Amino acid sequence: MTTAPQALLRDLFASAIDAAHPRQVLADHLPADRSGRAIVIGAGKAAAAMAEAIEKAWQGEISGLVVTRYEHGADCRKIEVVEAAHPVPDDAGERVARRVLEMVSGLSESDRVIFLLSGGGSSLLALPAEGISLQDKQAINKALLRSGATIGEMNCVRKHLSAIKGGRLAKACWPASVYTYAISDVPGDEATVIASGPTVADPTTSAEALAILARYGIDIPAHVRAWLQDPRSETVKPGDPVLSRSHFQLIARPQQSLDAAAERARAAGYTPLILGDLEGESREVAKVHAGIARQIVQYGQPIQPPCVILSGGETTVTVRGNGRGGRNAEFLLSLTESLKGLPGVYALAGDTDGIDGSEDNAGALMTPDSYARAAQLGLNARDELENNDGYGYFAALDSLIVTGPTRTNVNDFRAILIEKPAK
C-alpha cells in the first residue's frame, strides 16, 4: 500500500524530529560512571526534555535549574524547570540567568556541572552585561530579527552584550569541571554559535559586533556603543585557562534528522537528495529549490522521480510587510509562487521545534493545486509574499502544520516530494 504524498511528508517531518529528541540521543553520550553528584543547568527549547532524560539516566545525586521556552516544559522532579520568552528575551529569562550564575559561582575542582544546551538558549538565558538593560537587548534583538541578519551575526552581537554568553558561563564555573551536551540548531554545528556558546571560546570581537549593527543600519544608544568599545566587553578567547576544564559534546545535529528522513523516504520507495544545511533569504532559497524540482520533473536530473529533495539549516526573512508567518511559511509561499502548480510536486517546510517564528504552527504543506485553490480564494502568492503573509496564505488553504512544542530543535526541515509522472 502506497502512502499519500501529504502523509509521507508528515512522516518525514516526524522522523526528523524524533531523531533529534533528547529521549533518543542524550543517554548514550553520558559518561559510563553516572554515580557522582552533579549540578545540572541548561537553556534552550530542548532544555526541559534534556533535563527529564538526565533524571532518568543519572544514578547519583543531581539538582539544578534549566530554562526553556514557554509551553516547552517537561515533568522533572529533581531539576527545576523555568519558562521564559523566545525569540525576544523577557524578565523571566534575566532572573533565571542570574540564578544560574549564582548556582555555579564558588564551586571547587571536585564539583561537576552538566550543562544542557539547545537552540533558543541565547534568548532564554539573557543576562545583560554591565550597564546594559534588558530593554536595550530586547530592542536590538527585535531589530536584528527583522534585519535579515544571519544567526551567526545575531549571536555575535548577543555575546558581546551579555554577562553569560561567549564562554562567560564556563568562566563563572571555574575551577569546576563543566560537561556541555548540546543539540545543534545552526548550519555547520559550530559550538561558538549554538545559543551563543556560553561554555566555549569565542573568536569574534566587539568590533565585529559593532560592524554588524552598522551593516544592517541598526541604531544603538550611546551607552551600548560605549560598552562595545570598552575592552571589558570582549568574550572569553581561545586558549584561556578558565576553559581548560570545560568539555563540549554534540549529541544531535541537523544532519542526523535529514538522514532519518532520507531513510524513511527510501523505505517508501522515494530516492532522497539531501542538499544539507542552507542559509540565505527564505524566498531566494525557495527559488533554488524550485529550479531543482523543475529540472527533475522535466529532465530527470540530477535524480529520477519518484524522489524527495531534503534540506535543513536556518534561512532568514527581511520583513517588509505586515503579514504573519515565520521563515518556513515564507519559504513555502515563495516555492508556491515559483512552481505555480507544477504537476506531481508536493512540499513541506517546518521548524523542528514546532514553532515557525513566533506563530502557533510548525510550518505548512504545499500541494500541486495550492496555487490554483488560493487564486480561487482571491489570494495572489506574489502579493502575499510581498506582505510576508505565508501564515495567512496557508491558513486559508487549511494547510498549516500544527504540532505544538516538540521539545527539541535542529532548526528548519524542508522536503519536496516529486511523484513519478503517470504514463
Side-chain angles (χ1 to χ4, degrees):
M1 178 179 172
T2 58
T3 305
Q6 297 99 312
L8 178 56
L9 285 170
R10 288 178 178 273
D11 284 349
L12 299 183
F13 189 38
S15 298
I17 292 169
D18 196 51
H21 200 281
R23 65 171 175 265
Q24 302 285 4
V25 297
L26 181 54
D28 290 344
H29 291 85
L30 295 175
D33 180 8
R34 306 172 188 179
S35 59
R37 185 176 77 89
I39 299 168
V40 180
I41 55 176
K45 297 172 189 175
M50 294 173 85
E52 188 176 33
I54 283 277
E55 286 193 349
K56 291 177 181 177
W58 201 260
Q59 294 152 2
E61 178 189 345
I62 56 170
S63 61
L65 171 65
V66 302
V67 58
T68 192
R69 184 175 180 164
Y70 289 118
E71 300 182 355
H72 284 62
D75 185 19
C76 295
R77 303 188 179 186
K78 301 174 184 176
I79 302 166
E80 182 183 353
V81 177
V82 175
E83 297 180 0
H86 177 277
V88 177
D90 66 0
D91 293 340
E94 182 177 16
R95 287 194 299 271
V96 76
R98 292 189 188 280
R99 290 182 58 199
V100 165
L101 272 191
E102 290 169 5
M103 188 174 289
V104 300
S105 296
L107 298 179
S108 68
E109 284 188 31
S110 62
D111 287 312
R112 174 163 48 179
V113 176
I114 294 176
F115 183 43
L116 307 173
L117 187 63
S118 56
S122 190
S123 298
L124 293 164
L125 203 63
L127 185 58
E130 181 182 337
I132 306 295
S133 70
L134 180 62
Q135 289 70 32
D136 291 330
K137 290 198 72 173
Q138 287 172 329
I140 292 169
N141 210 23
K142 285 179 182 176
L144 284 167
L145 286 166
R146 294 178 64 89
S147 72
T150 68
I151 184 65
E153 290 173 324
M154 286 191 281
N155 282 358
C156 173
V157 175
R158 288 165 172 167
K159 280 185 275 196
H160 290 90
L161 297 178
S162 173
I164 204 165
K165 302 179 179 73
R168 293 187 179 96
L169 180 59
K171 184 176 182 179
C173 293
W174 172 262
S177 295
V178 180
Y179 297 88
T180 300
Y181 298 100
I183 294 177
S184 171
D185 70 327
V186 299
D189 305 323
E190 293 182 52
T192 59
V193 181
I194 301 168
S196 300
T199 58
V200 296
D202 174 40
T204 70
T205 66
S206 298
E208 289 177 60
L210 279 167
I212 290 165
L213 293 167
R215 184 179 308 139
Y216 291 101
I218 296 172
D219 292 326
I220 55 174
H223 66 277
V224 173
R225 183 174 299 280
W227 168 255
L228 290 174
Q229 292 170 337
D230 189 319
R232 293 177 300 160
S233 68
E234 278 304 346
T235 48
V236 180
K237 300 305 177 200
D240 194 306
V242 300
L243 298 175
S244 62
R245 298 173 65 85
S246 184
H247 313 276
F248 183 93
Q249 187 169 10
L250 274 177
I251 64 169
R253 62 189 78 202
Q255 184 63 36
Q256 289 171 229
S257 291
L258 293 176
D259 287 340
E263 185 177 342
R264 174 70 183 89
R266 287 190 196 96
Y270 291 77
T271 302
L273 173 65
I274 298 180
L275 302 183
D277 278 358
L278 304 175
E279 295 181 272
E281 278 285 325
S282 292
R283 60 181 64 194
E284 300 304 323
V285 173
K287 291 176 184 176
V288 174
H289 282 68
I292 296 171
R294 276 194 297 268
Q295 188 72 6
I296 290 171
V297 169
Q298 294 173 5
Y299 303 106
Q301 298 171 339
I303 56 175
Q304 294 276 348
C307 59
V308 178
I309 303 167
L310 299 170
S311 68
E314 181 165 341
T315 59
T316 54
V317 175
T318 302
V319 179
R320 302 176 179 87
N322 299 308
R324 295 175 62 188
R327 55 186 182 261
N328 289 287
E330 176 107 347
F331 168 89
L332 210 58
L333 182 54
S334 179
L335 186 74
T336 304
E337 160 63 18
S338 296
L339 293 179
K340 293 182 170 62
L342 186 64
V345 180
Y346 301 75
L348 178 151
D351 196 321
T352 55
D353 70 1
I355 308 294
D356 188 21
S358 57
E359 298 296 344
D360 58 4
N361 65 313
L365 270 167
M366 182 203 80
T367 61
D369 66 351
S370 293
Y371 186 82
R373 286 198 297 125
Q376 290 174 352
L377 296 172
L379 294 174
N380 180 283
R382 178 173 293 178
D383 292 344
E384 300 307 312
L385 189 60
E386 289 311 302
N387 195 35
N388 300 114
D389 196 21
Y391 183 99
Y393 187 88
F394 290 104
L397 296 175
D398 195 25
S399 296
L400 295 176
I401 296 173
V402 180
T403 62
T406 64
R407 295 170 179 82
T408 191
N409 181 27
V410 285
N411 236 315
D412 297 334
F413 174 83
R414 295 175 290 271
I416 300 175
L417 184 152
I418 302 172
E419 293 277 76
K420 189 174 183 178
K423 293 182 179 180

